[in-house]
Amino acid sequence: MLRFAVVGIDHGHTFDHVKGLLAAGGEFVGYCPKTSVPALLDNFKKTYPDTPQIDREALFADPSINVICIAAIPRDRAGLAIRAMKAGKDVMTDKPGVTTFAQLEEVKKTVAETGRIFSICFSERHCVRSAVKAGKLVKEGAVGRVIQTIGMGPHKLQLPTRPDWFFDPEAFGGIIVDIASHQVDQFLFYTGSTTGEVVASSIGNFGMPEKPKFEDFGEVLLRSDRGSGYVRVDWFTPEGLGTWGDGRLTILGTEGYIELRKYIDISGRPGKDHLFLVNGTENRHIDCSDEKLDYFDAFTADVRDRSETAMTQAHVYEVCRLSLEAQTKAVRLGGR
């Protein structure tokens, strides 16, 4: 049985990691209570009241623990992952797994030296049932060869809940690294690309002059030998929307297209995970709410078998590289 622990409770995606690994048959051994978001820790305690709080050094030192899950402040994730891998653990981290090129190189070096798994749980694909279904439809050839993805990652600011580091690009890596890594992952995955290039990228601060370093808008144009991708991420989701963001993905193929409304259908259908498929024979809406999330089962098997079925290590590295490059090259818009 996979035994796992949590080190770094600074983002709500930690709940996805725990829930997913428990559903895959894992045992939740304990967690380090250190956090920059006390309300998140309170919720964690209420959700898992029987799971002990344990000092992180003790968790790293426990030889019976196979996996360390990390959702710390983004700039700290790579360091914690390296510490865990050197202690003989595999790692599942929230995105972004790294915030600098130096961190990426150190992670690569550590993986090579230790043979451990460094996996980033890209929740907008791995934890979204409509995204899982889309992957199956693409594999079945429902839209022909995929030639473009358009990924939108809008978010609500929800200012009262945000810690100080949320507004510091050095802490969160910049909006492209922090959020658009999801869409970079999806571009590579759905187009079947093993590598890509950044054609153009932009960032901006249009709505928060009082936080001059903050970035509330980002966009990226990607290209590979198999297709192209456009990404837009932002913090401008209006409060009137009934969820935290209207995440969307359009997958264009040579014989049709798929559109995902991941978290809400603004036309009125209840719930989330709405998939629209249009091709030469049909035009239909698919409710994906019962689709199984297979990343966590695959990750558990990879830990056991030392395989790469959930996601290749090369894919993880390439998402990180492209995200960092797009952030670094980005033209700043908005005059702030």
Side-chain angles (χ1 to χ4, degrees):
M1 176 186 291
L2 182 148
R3 303 182 81 242
F4 69 96
V6 171
V7 174
I9 301 176
D10 297 280
H11 195 292
H13 286 156
T14 186
F15 289 96
D16 292 324
H17 303 170
V18 175
K19 186 192 300 183
L21 288 176
L22 286 174
E27 178 185 352
F28 188 14
V29 176
Y31 63 93
C32 172
K34 185 177 180 181
T35 183
S36 62
V37 189
L40 190 61
L41 178 61
D42 291 341
N43 193 14
F44 206 77
K45 292 176 182 176
K46 292 174 184 176
T47 306
Y48 303 105
D50 299 324
T51 304
Q53 299 180 34
I54 302 173
D55 179 79
R56 60 183 53 185
E57 291 305 316
L59 293 172
F60 287 138
D62 186 342
S64 73
I65 294 174
N66 309 100
V67 171
I68 297 292
C69 297
I70 301 169
I73 297 172
R75 67 180 169 206
D76 298 334
R77 291 174 189 171
L80 290 170
I82 290 166
R83 174 74 179 84
M85 290 188 286
K86 288 183 176 179
K89 322 295 186 191
D90 293 316
V91 168
M92 177 186 292
T93 182
D94 187 18
K95 61 77 214 166
V98 301
T99 56
T100 68
F101 282 108
Q103 287 182 354
L104 177 57
E105 291 308 308
E106 192 62 29
V107 164
K108 286 183 178 181
K109 178 182 176 183
T110 304
V111 169
E113 290 174 349
T114 64
R116 308 320 299 179
I117 296 170
F118 176 77
S119 186
I120 299 176
C121 180
F122 294 108
S123 56
E124 290 197 24
R125 177 164 67 90
H126 294 141
C127 301
V128 172
R129 298 177 196 279
S130 55
V132 174
K133 179 65 174 178
K136 293 178 180 178
L137 289 169
V138 166
K139 189 174 182 179
E140 292 166 3
V143 295
R145 177 188 167 188
V146 174
I147 56 175
Q148 188 202 39
T149 61
I150 300 176
M152 307 293 189
H155 290 63
K156 281 184 182 177
L157 262 176
Q158 298 175 309
L159 282 175
T161 68
R162 303 300 181 181
D164 290 342
W165 61 260
F166 175 81
F167 302 99
D168 181 1
E170 290 188 7
F172 66 81
I175 192 170
I176 293 174
V177 166
D178 182 31
I179 302 179
S181 52
H182 283 303
Q183 285 72 32
V184 173
D185 161 70
Q186 291 165 64
F187 161 72
L188 292 174
F189 176 74
Y190 292 111
T191 61
S193 303
T194 57
T195 188
E197 63 176 307
V198 178
V199 179
S201 57
S202 307
I203 55 174
N205 179 346
F206 292 94
M208 298 195 72
E210 70 279 12
K211 302 286 187 181
K213 293 184 179 180
F214 187 60
E215 299 165 7
D216 53 22
F217 176 86
E219 61 180 348
V220 185
L221 182 62
L222 299 164
R223 183 167 57 207
S224 76
D225 60 351
R226 297 186 62 84
S228 67
Y230 175 75
V231 176
R232 192 204 79 212
V233 291
D234 65 79
W235 289 100
F236 289 109
T237 293
E239 287 299 319
L241 190 73
T243 188
W244 58 266
D246 185 12
R248 283 166 282 169
L249 174 68
T250 299
I251 302 168
L252 176 65
T254 55
E255 299 173 25
Y257 65 91
I258 293 168
E259 182 175 354
L260 307 185
R261 304 303 290 255
K262 296 180 179 181
Y263 311 113
I264 191 171
D265 177 7
I266 60 172
S267 70
R269 291 183 182 89
K272 55 185 180 178
D273 286 306
H274 302 277
L275 184 151
F276 302 89
L277 171 64
V278 183
N279 59 24
T281 60
E282 59 184 330
N283 175 1
R284 65 177 169 132
H285 166 264
I286 302 175
D287 178 357
C288 303
S289 57
D290 292 330
E291 192 71 27
K292 180 175 172 54
L293 301 175
D294 51 19
Y295 165 75
F296 297 96
D297 285 334
F299 176 83
T300 299
D302 289 342
V303 171
R304 180 189 66 229
D305 302 333
R306 312 317 297 166
S307 52
E308 295 187 356
T309 62
M311 188 169 41
T312 67
Q313 197 66 77
H315 175 87
V316 174
Y317 294 156
E318 184 66 0
V319 174
C320 292
R321 184 190 72 81
L322 286 171
S323 302
L324 289 166
E325 185 174 318
Q327 184 73 51
T328 302
K329 291 182 173 180
V331 175
R332 194 167 185 94
L333 307 174
R336 293 172 181 165

